Amino acid sequence: MAEKAAAISAVRNVGNWVNGGIVDMTSERTMDVYESATGEVCAQVAMSNEADVDAAVAAAKGAFPAWSRTPVLKRARVMFKLKELIERDRGELAALITQEHGKVLHDADGSIQRGIEVVEFACGIPHLIKGEFNDQVGTGVDTYSMRQAVGVCAGITPFNFPAMVPLWMFPIAIACGNTFVLKPSEKDPSISLKWAELLKEAGLPDGVFNVVQGDHVAVNSILSDERIAAVSFVGSTPVAEHVYKTSSANGKRVQALGGAKNHLVVMPDADMEQAADALVGAGYGSAGERCMAISAIVTVGNAGDALLDKLLPKIDALKVGPGTDNNNDMGPLITAEHRDKVRSYIDLGEEEGASILVDGRKHACAESAGYFLGPTLFDNANAQMRVYQEEIFGPVLTMTRTENFEQAVRLINDHEYGNGTAIFTRDGDTARAFAAEIQVGMVGINVPIPVPLAFHSFGGWKRSLFGDMSIYGMEGVRFYTRLKTVTSRWPTGIRAGAEFSMPIMR
Ligand code: NAD
């Protein structure tokens, strides 16, 4: 009995952060959060209702006038301090990700690093937000432009990168002078409160950053709230499309990043050892739960057999186990439900006639209490199979053999998703043609996961991104600001009398 009580008290309560602290909520609905390596409940997350979202948006709206007028250098200094604090608490943050998401600690730490890089980028906001000036555009007339904050911004984020994806959004939004409401994934929500605590410690005024926990109820309240000017969303394609359509119908700016099926082309002249290493890391790292994971191998000509010779032993050597052990390569999936969904895709691939070369259902890890599934590899998948067409979001790779480069490019260009892709080749002409012809937003040449660094921008094409702008980098600064252009003249430049024709330069 005493043991049970101790176990229950170890379960965290994860609530809403509004106006500088945790608040009482009107909703009494909660959801269990699981430690994915053991299947045990480690937290309970509150599920906001409309009134709870309303309170957070009201706080953000109230904080906007003062924060948007705060000198840009002071806003930048909060980011400098935030960077220091994230680095200080990095170990604790990574452990929280590993507990709830399941990815291996070194991978969790890597995702924090990629997030820190966006904070570093945001430290340069005084330079990034600078406008333009032209003197004497007409006689005695000057024109200048400036970028101003848009207002209250919302960020809605997925489970697979509970640290990195929010960090793609709020550092830039806040540095630009906006206030922010974050709605993290309900599956691994705890780290969202760490951002709130660290921002407060970094000197951010109360109300500038707020967190609402929950599911579609909270999301739909955000989408219909007239006080929210801009919505950044990252998640699956059906939800991204819903967020895009509803937000834009409600007059908001929106960038909605969706799902993916990322192809890696292996040409016959590729270094097969390198290609195989790239594939095990990019296909099975983080249990395939990355929007930039490679999930479809496309071999050209006779590359298939040469690749398999190198790839199969590497898959065999993969270490699957709890993310707390840094010797493991791959941890569990996020929930039992998701593991079962991925497993059902393996069943489907077999039914559809793909050849199963490695079967993750039979891996020893699949017997354990956590949400584990071993790495899976299908050969001879074709474009008509659902296992090829759909995003599985697990440790499952399909291999499709093509006769030539043109066929490989056509296969990728015909796919509904266009997030990332890569080609492995030693031939410069082939690589150059691939980069030019491929209908995908992020392209790697002998680089399997071409995630752009913080000073470039991240975004897919086709049904992997709804909206016009990619996320972070200069696209992020543009998304979170509005352009204002001022044309001015002073009395000595003003000629007498009214003008009724279109003003032109004389
Ligand atoms: P998801 O779409 O289920 O959830 C994303 C967010 O939307 C969560 O905060 C969730 O609470 C909310 N949500 C879920 N269902 C909703 C609904 N019906 N209405 C309104 N809101 C809803 O995605 P996920 O399972 O958390 O994350 C995995 C997906 O995210 C994959 O498809 C992956 O490719 C994608 N992803 C894309 C990128 C990218 O940059 N393109 C990055 C990471 C993840």
Side-chain angles (χ1 to χ4, degrees), residues 3-37:
E3 258 172 39
K4 178 135 200 240
I8 289 170
S9 68
V11 171
R12 286 183 294 276
N13 286 315
V14 185
N16 284 1
W17 179 283
V18 177
N19 234 339
I22 296 285
V23 288
D24 291 336
M25 294 172 58
T26 60
S27 165
E28 291 178 356
R29 194 161 62 99
T30 60
M31 211 183 92
D32 288 338
V33 178
Y34 298 92
E35 177 163 349
S36 44

Side-chain angles (χ1 to χ4, degrees), residues 431-439:
R432 194 162 180 275
F434 186 75
E437 290 169 28
I438 212 73
Q439 302 288 308

Side-chain angles (χ1 to χ4, degrees), residues 57-375:
V57 179
K61 181 83 183 163
F64 179 72
W67 180 245
S68 58
R69 300 303 306 146
T70 298
V72 67
L73 256 180
K74 284 196 176 169
R75 302 200 306 255
R77 283 179 189 142
V78 172
M79 292 300 139
F80 276 104
K81 188 71 191 163
L82 177 65
K83 169 180 152 64
E84 249 178 70
L85 298 175
I86 298 176
E87 279 166 349
R88 181 195 70 192
D89 291 355
R90 210 168 156 145
E92 185 194 336
L93 295 166
L96 211 47
I97 298 172
T98 294
Q99 184 186 36
E100 292 184 354
H101 176 275
K103 64 182 81 183
V104 182
L105 273 170
H106 54 73
D107 187 29
D109 184 69
S111 74
I112 293 171
Q113 175 58 31
R114 296 306 293 261
I116 288 175
E117 288 160 10
V118 181
V119 181
E120 287 168 345
F121 176 76
C123 289
I125 199 67
H127 179 73
L128 301 173
I129 210 170
K130 267 193 316 212
E132 295 175 325
F133 182 85
N134 239 355
D135 88 318
Q136 202 72 349
V137 293
T139 307
V141 181
D142 303 327
T143 295
Y144 61 94
S145 62
M146 55 178 135
R147 302 209 70 98
Q148 292 190 316
V150 296
V152 179
C153 300
I156 301 159
T157 54
F159 78 80
N160 64 323
F161 282 110
M164 185 180 80
V165 171
L167 286 168
W168 284 358
M169 301 172 179
F170 72 77
I172 298 179
I174 290 174
C176 286
N178 300 285
T179 56
F180 203 85
V181 177
L182 172 66
K183 206 302 281 170
S185 170
E186 63 277 34
K187 292 176 187 148
D188 43 16
S190 296
I191 205 165
S192 62
L193 296 180
K194 287 296 298 181
W195 306 134
E197 285 166 19
L198 295 182
L199 280 164
K200 190 176 171 89
E201 193 180 342
L204 191 73
D206 292 347
V208 176
F209 179 78
N210 307 275
V211 183
V212 292
Q213 310 291 350
D215 54 11
H216 64 280
V217 175
V219 172
N220 291 334
S221 302
I222 287 171
L223 305 185
S224 61
D225 195 310
E226 285 178 358
R227 296 163 297 180
I228 293 177
V231 174
S232 300
F233 171 89
V234 176
S236 61
T237 286
V239 185
E241 195 166 16
H242 161 68
V243 168
Y244 174 71
K245 286 185 176 160
T246 315
S247 302
S248 37
N250 290 339
K252 302 180 194 315
R253 287 187 169 204
V254 52
Q255 51 181 190
L257 283 74
K261 192 83 182 180
N262 304 312
H263 299 71
L264 186 146
V265 177
V266 182
M267 296 299 292
D269 68 349
D271 181 321
M272 293 300 163
E273 190 77 36
Q274 266 177 16
D277 276 333
L279 278 167
V280 283
Y284 303 120
S286 203
E289 291 174 331
R290 291 180 180 144
C291 64
M292 288 291 275
I294 294 296
S295 45
I297 309 169
V298 182
T299 59
V300 173
N302 59 7
D305 290 340
L307 176 70
L308 282 180
D309 284 347
K310 301 285 182 191
L311 185 58
L312 288 169
K314 290 184 197 289
I315 298 178
D316 203 37
L318 273 177
K319 291 196 212 84
V320 188
T324 43
D325 181 349
N326 255 332
N327 292 314
N328 285 326
D329 300 310
M330 190 181 122
L333 290 153
I334 181 79
T335 55
E337 190 189 9
H338 187 57
R339 180 211 41 212
D340 294 346
K341 182 177 159 199
V342 175
R343 200 155 43 192
S344 74
Y345 269 108
I346 306 177
D347 301 340
L348 177 69
E350 262 193 324
E351 283 163 29
E352 290 183 314
S355 334
I356 189 154
L357 302 186
V358 184
D359 189 343
R361 296 168 300 186
K362 296 187 179 144
H363 195 284
C365 70
E367 302 297 317
S368 69
Y371 312 133
F372 290 95
L373 198 58

